[in-house]
Amino acid sequence: MDIKQKVKDLLKEAKEQVAATDLMHNLNQVKADYLGKKGPFSGLMRHMKDLPNEEKPTFGKAVNTAKQELKKAIEKQREVIKERQIQAKLEAETIDVTLPSRQFRLGNKHLLTQIIEHIEDLFIGMGYEIKEGPEVEIDEYNFEKLNLPKNHPARDMQDTFYITEDTLLRTHTSPVQVRTMLNNNGNKPIKIICPGIVYRRDDDDATHSHQFMQIEGLVVDEKTTMADLKGTLEIMAKELFGEQRKIRLRPDYFPFTEPSVEVDVSCHNCGGDGCHICKQTGWIEVLGAGMVNNNVLKASGYDPEKYQGFAFGVGVERLAMLKYKINDIRDFYTNDQRFNNQFK
Ligand code: FA5
């Protein structure tokens, strides 16, 4: 066959192959097959030596022109493939705005947060300020200035996580009392509540947790009496457990208050007749309280001849358990949505 015709046919065949390729790596393969050293164009060039001298230049030119044409066709096809890939990507990523949206589940505040906010609102309404303190506390504020010197036996009432000899995870919110009194330089009345997390080396069970929440209340002024304490706690009990609730104070012991009391609320389940919730007593114990011990006032710069105060500390989980009949304190911390979603 005429050698020129051969070049033409080869170019036609190669261009058809190129046009039929729609993947980049196939295109690269076609390029390598036709234009590589072992490809048919190189093969044709090897025949050149068999041609008469006068035909050699024309033949060489024809082969080179065909190769250039094929290269152009390949580059053109490369652009076509790229464009197709972009189009496919755009189509795949198109957002169908007519599709129905996915249901968005609205969360709700944790029950403990709800109770704390409820109590905060109540006390803000009575002129109290909210104060917070650090969870890593110094021994001096957590114990010593609260009339609990080192080695005092009452320290055993609150088993403690120590970080160093003098720093610890606070065992109650009472150190915020100390911080507030010290900041006031002993000459300003105080009305605060202090919500926060506290830690104790208690074994976890249905009613105890090694980490729990307390709300501390402290009032210091020139004429503060036990009647003020009782009235304040009664307002809180009625707000949380209903208008019909009564409270009673029983003598107790805390090193930081004198006298100290344990506070019971009349049972909201049976109204005081006796039931399984109040263990047939008609009363449920909810918090500790008392008149601020003179030693505590003095240690933080307040003159007990001039100022008196009352304080109380309540466990938030225990309040929530009573109010909502929750049997296990661990339910607050396991983050089971079925539990959390009950309290919207
Ligand atoms: C105190 O912590 C005192 N600071 C309270 C106080 C403040 C008394 C001011 C007088 C004046 P107590 O150790 O009893 O007291 O703890 C207070 C409340 O925290 C308890 O009534 C209980 O509701 C809760 N509580 C105590 N230990 C745990 C625990 N391990 N898990 C869950 N709640 C607890």
Side-chain angles (χ1 to χ4, degrees):
M1 194 207 285
D2 172 14
I3 193 103
K4 277 193 191 154
Q5 188 57 43
K6 231 178 178 177
V7 175
K8 258 189 180 170
D9 289 348
L10 186 58
L11 179 62
K12 186 168 173 264
E13 177 199 307
K15 279 170 119 179
E16 279 167 8
Q17 288 272 337
V18 168
T21 349
D22 52 7
L23 291 174
M24 212 53 105
H25 67 269
N26 288 349
L27 183 66
N28 291 338
Q29 191 57 52
V30 171
K31 185 178 177 185
D33 288 347
Y34 280 92
L35 297 175
K37 274 192 185 137
K38 291 182 185 154
F41 283 100
S42 301
L44 280 177
M45 285 305 247
R46 278 195 290 277
H47 284 305
M48 191 130 87
K49 61 179 181 343
D50 307 326
L51 291 175
N53 275 347
E54 63 277 15
E55 284 182 26
K56 278 182 184 165
T58 340
F59 174 73
K61 201 174 165 199
V63 174
N64 277 334
T65 311
K67 277 170 78 178
Q68 290 310 322
E69 206 173 310
L70 180 58
K71 275 185 193 161
K72 266 190 207 153
I74 288 170
E75 288 320 306
K76 210 167 144 203
Q77 186 66 5
R78 200 179 292 286
E79 290 309 310
V80 171
I81 293 173
K82 258 194 214 160
E83 183 60 29
R84 270 192 216 142
Q85 282 174 339
I86 291 169
Q87 281 307 326
K89 202 166 172 217
L90 284 176
E91 269 162 38
E93 287 173 3
T94 307
I95 296 167
D96 182 353
V97 289
T98 63
L99 278 176
S101 63
R102 238 178 253 150
Q103 271 263 307
F104 181 68
R105 279 193 39 218
L106 201 59
N108 55 293
K109 285 185 182 163
H110 194 278
L111 178 57
L112 296 178
T113 309
Q114 292 180 38
I115 294 205
I116 288 173
E117 288 182 354
H118 188 172
I119 295 177
E120 283 178 352
D121 285 350
L122 172 71
F123 279 89
I124 287 170
M126 295 194 285
Y128 283 67
E129 276 180 77
I130 315 273
K131 288 273 181 220
E132 285 181 355
E135 288 168 28
V136 175
E137 189 49 279
I138 52 174
D139 186 282
E140 189 186 351
Y141 293 174
N142 194 82
F143 288 130
E144 282 169 47
K145 282 193 182 301
L146 290 168
N147 202 28
L148 274 154
K150 288 219 158 82
N151 302 320
H152 192 288
R155 283 197 179 201
D156 291 348
M157 291 163 79
Q158 303 183 1
D159 214 352
T160 310
F161 289 110
Y162 277 93
I163 293 166
T164 65
E165 211 177 307
D166 295 317
T167 45
L168 43 80
L169 292 180
R170 66 177 179 190
T171 53
H172 51 176
T173 38
S174 302
V176 187
Q177 294 185 17
V178 176
R179 288 178 172 274
T180 312
M181 286 194 272
L182 288 172
N183 276 343
N184 282 1
N185 299 318
N187 58 16
K188 256 201 269 170
I190 298 174
K191 254 178 119 175
I192 54 165
I193 59 160
C194 327
I197 297 171
V198 301
Y199 304 84
R200 290 193 194 171
R201 289 179 50 167
D202 288 343
D203 290 331
D204 289 3
D205 61 23
T207 53
H208 292 83
S209 173
H210 61 281
Q211 175 194 314
F212 58 100
M213 301 197 81
Q214 285 190 340
I215 299 179
E216 187 87 6
L218 173 72
V219 171
V220 177
D221 209 338
E222 292 188 25
K223 287 191 182 72
T224 316
T225 69
M226 196 94 178
D228 297 320
L229 170 63
K230 188 170 181 195
T232 307
L233 296 177
E234 205 157 56
I235 290 171
M236 181 162 79
K238 285 181 195 279
E239 175 73 19
L240 288 173
F241 296 106
E243 266 308 304
Q244 308 309 314
R245 301 284 65 79
K246 294 194 194 93
I247 64 165
R248 77 173 181 190
L249 310 185
R250 283 181 293 115
D252 199 0
Y253 170 74
F254 293 105
F256 25 90
T257 45
E258 179 59 37
S260 301
V261 289
E262 196 69 56
V263 181
D264 297 340
V265 177
S266 60
C267 179
H268 54 285
N269 192 47
C270 62
D273 297 338
C275 68
H276 68 287
I277 290 190
C278 59
K279 301 197 182 89
Q280 310 304 330
T281 63
W283 297 94
I284 296 171
E285 183 186 310
V286 287
L287 58 97
M291 299 306 291
V292 181
N293 191 308
N294 284 352
N295 290 341
V296 173
L297 289 171
K298 266 191 251 165
S300 295
Y302 275 78
D303 176 5
E305 296 294 327
K306 191 172 171 200
Y307 287 99
Q308 315 81 44
F310 70 74
F312 60 88
V314 54
V316 183
E317 288 81 352
R318 298 266 179 91
L319 276 187
M321 288 169 84
L322 284 176
K323 188 167 159 72
Y324 294 103
K325 304 192 174 111
I326 295 162
N327 295 327
D328 197 322
I329 197 167
R330 290 165 290 203
D331 286 338
F332 292 112
Y333 297 109
T334 39
N335 238 348
D336 185 334
Q337 294 301 305
R338 290 166 302 180
F339 174 79
N340 291 349
N341 289 338
Q342 290 174 66
F343 307 105
K344 290 209 166 162

